[in-house]
């Protein structure tokens, strides 16, 4: 008879049901013993009010008979309700702040799990499915240190946001008057910012020809390079949308240096395609962790006009940068830009100096 050979045992056996249950208890702070009406009553609010907060956190709808909550859920609801009762926040603001926490931590958790899965695949040579089943076993020892880093980063970012959005806001508005006539569409908006986009060339066609690992490497490399350059340049990475990043910073000079560094970094990278980059100095509205207004729209339009590996700015931004030896500004032929009419793009190139250095 033909001998049958069992497949080799996985180097990373999947987590058992008891391990999964233990991890849930560790993360939730205890067993699920409460129903939604119990938690709402414990906080002294209606079920409708409690559901508003849970929806803001991104929780799914639950039935009256679902035993889905722990004592830690009760404490969290009490915290939100207390802030409203003591007048620290209005109900609308409390829900908005809660939604910010829910959305950001959801993305953060997904990012971290995917990073752990990718590490297990690379280090142990297992399949993606095996790594996902095994990651539960890796998490218990990481929860406490990651939680410490989260609190630390939150406090640092909150301080940076206070400085950027409150303390230095008036200075930025005063500086942004240069080159403006006072009747621009963005004049009523409260913050002066250099807003930039960097867009990978031919990303769609490239992604169709790539396998999963290669595409993941491209996306991660692009975002990592952008994040480092923007951070070192004193800017803020607002968001990444596939093949494009949106960033802002407090001065036109910082925006110009970041823009040039991004274009140069992509051009010098053997793995990444070149990028189109554009930057506009103007005024924006900051809400929900994002930025809005004509300045953002114009920067996006200019990005689509830029040639691969180049940086475009508008005439107002060029005026703000004029006379600075670190930049060379070349006016290009007029272009019709949807929503803005005829504008004169300006090619931004490096002049004297090295620019941003990422070590």
């Amino acid at each position: 008879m033909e001998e049958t050979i069992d497949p080799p045992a996985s180097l990373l056996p999947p987590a058992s049901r008891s391990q999964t249950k233990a991890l849930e208890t560790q993360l939730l702070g205890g067993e699920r013993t409460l129903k939604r009406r119990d938690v709402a009553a414990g906080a002294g609010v209606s079920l409708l009010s409690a559901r508003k907060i849970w929806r803001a956190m991104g929780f799914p709808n639950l039935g009256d008979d679902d035993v889905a909550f722990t004592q830690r859920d009760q404490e969290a609801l009490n915290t939100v309700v207390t802030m409203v009762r003591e007048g620290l926040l209005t109900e609308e603001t409390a829900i908005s702040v809660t939604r910010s926490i829910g959305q950001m931590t959801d993305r953060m958790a997904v990012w971290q799990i995917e990073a752990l899965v990718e590490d297990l695949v690379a280090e142990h040579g297992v399949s993606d499915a095996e790594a996902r089943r095994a990651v539960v076993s890796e998490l218990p020892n990481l929860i406490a240190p990651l939680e410490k880093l989260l609190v630390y980063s939150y406090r640092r970012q909150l301080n940076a946001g206070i400085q950027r959005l409150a303390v230095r806001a008036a200075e930025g508005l005063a500086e942004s008057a240069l080159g403006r006539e006072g009747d621009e569409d963005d004049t009523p908006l409260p913050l002066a910012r250099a807003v930039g986009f960097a867009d990978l060339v031919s990303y769609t066609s490239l992604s169709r020809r790539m396998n999963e690992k290669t595409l993941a490497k491209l996306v991660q490399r692009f975002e990592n390079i952008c994040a480092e350059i923007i951070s070192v340049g004193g800017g803020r990475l607002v968001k990444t949308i596939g093949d494009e990043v949106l960033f802002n910073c407090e001065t036109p000079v910082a925006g110009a240096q970041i823009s040039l560094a991004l274009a140069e970094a992509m051009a010098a990278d053997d793995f990444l395609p070149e990028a189109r980059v554009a930057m506009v100095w103007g005024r924006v509205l900051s809400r929900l962790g994002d930025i809005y207004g004509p300045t953002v729209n114009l920067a996006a339009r200019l990005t689509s006009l830029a040639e691969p590996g180049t940086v475009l700015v508008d005439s107002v931004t060029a005026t703000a940068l004029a006379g600075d030896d670190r930049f060379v500004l070349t006016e290009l032929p007029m272009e019709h830009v949807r929503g803005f009419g005829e504008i004169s793009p300006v090619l931004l190139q490096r002049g004297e100096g090295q620019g941003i250095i990422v070590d």
Side-chain angles (χ1 to χ4, degrees), residues 15-297:
S16 66
R17 184 174 297 180
S18 62
Q19 286 178 306
T20 303
K21 183 64 176 177
L23 178 60
E24 177 180 278
T25 302
Q26 182 181 356
L27 288 170
L28 300 186
E31 297 283 340
R32 299 175 189 256
T33 58
L34 302 173
K35 300 177 182 179
R36 64 181 190 175
R37 290 189 182 277
D38 300 328
V39 182
V45 297
S46 68
L47 181 57
L48 177 61
S49 295
R51 287 175 63 190
K52 287 181 181 178
I53 294 170
W54 292 329
R55 279 200 299 268
M57 290 292 293
F59 296 170
N61 281 333
L62 298 166
D64 284 338
D65 296 328
D66 293 324
V67 181
F69 296 96
T70 70
Q71 191 59 42
R72 188 169 289 174
D73 293 305
Q74 180 72 78
E75 294 167 3
L77 183 61
N78 289 344
T79 298
V80 178
V81 170
T82 299
M83 286 191 291
V84 175
R85 285 177 175 160
E86 293 182 353
L88 297 175
L89 299 173
T90 64
E91 181 180 356
E92 182 179 358
T93 304
I95 290 174
S96 179
V97 169
T98 302
R99 182 172 291 113
S100 76
I101 295 170
Q103 290 184 3
M104 295 302 105
T105 52
D106 171 69
R107 181 169 188 255
M108 181 187 68
V110 171
W111 187 332
Q112 291 175 352
I113 291 170
E114 295 294 348
L116 292 173
V117 168
E118 186 178 17
D119 180 67
L120 292 176
V121 170
E123 290 297 314
H124 298 279
V126 298
S127 69
D128 184 88
E130 288 177 304
R132 291 183 188 281
R133 290 193 295 268
V135 76
V136 173
S137 304
E138 305 291 319
L139 275 171
N141 295 328
L142 292 171
I143 294 171
L146 289 177
E147 193 170 39
K148 287 182 180 179
L149 279 175
L150 173 62
V151 174
Y152 160 77
S153 178
Y154 168 72
R155 289 177 175 270
R156 292 287 301 186
Q157 296 290 2
L158 186 59
N159 178 68
I162 290 170
Q163 300 299 321
R164 186 174 61 244
L165 299 175
V167 177
R168 296 193 294 269
E171 295 176 15
L173 284 177
E175 292 177 4
S176 72
L178 181 63
R180 298 166 63 95
E181 297 178 0
D183 58 353
E184 290 81 4
D185 292 341
D186 64 345
T187 297
L189 300 182
L191 293 173
R193 289 290 183 270
V195 177
F197 283 91
D199 179 22
L200 285 179
V201 176
S202 303
Y203 170 80
T204 302
S205 60
L206 282 171
S207 63
R208 289 174 180 166
R209 302 195 301 268
M210 291 179 174
N211 60 33
E212 175 190 338
K213 290 183 179 180
T214 307
L215 179 59
K217 180 181 176 182
L218 182 145
V219 171
Q220 290 174 359
R221 187 166 182 81
F222 174 60
E223 182 159 338
N224 289 343
I225 290 174
C226 290
E228 286 189 355
I229 290 173
I230 293 167
S231 176
V232 172
R236 171 178 170 256
L237 198 163
V238 179
K239 60 184 176 183
T240 304
I241 312 166
D243 61 336
E244 188 174 62
V245 295
L246 167 62
F247 67 91
N248 68 18
C249 46
E250 295 181 53
T251 68
V253 169
Q257 294 282 31
I258 290 172
S259 298
L260 289 168
L262 288 172
E264 291 164 355
M266 303 310 156
D269 194 289
D270 292 334
F271 182 66
L272 294 175
E274 290 187 298
R276 297 183 180 91
V277 186
M279 188 272 292
V280 175
W281 171 240
R283 296 180 183 178
V284 301
L285 175 69
S286 177
R287 289 292 186 276
L288 307 176
D290 207 337
I291 53 174
Y292 305 89
T295 299
V296 182
N297 298 335

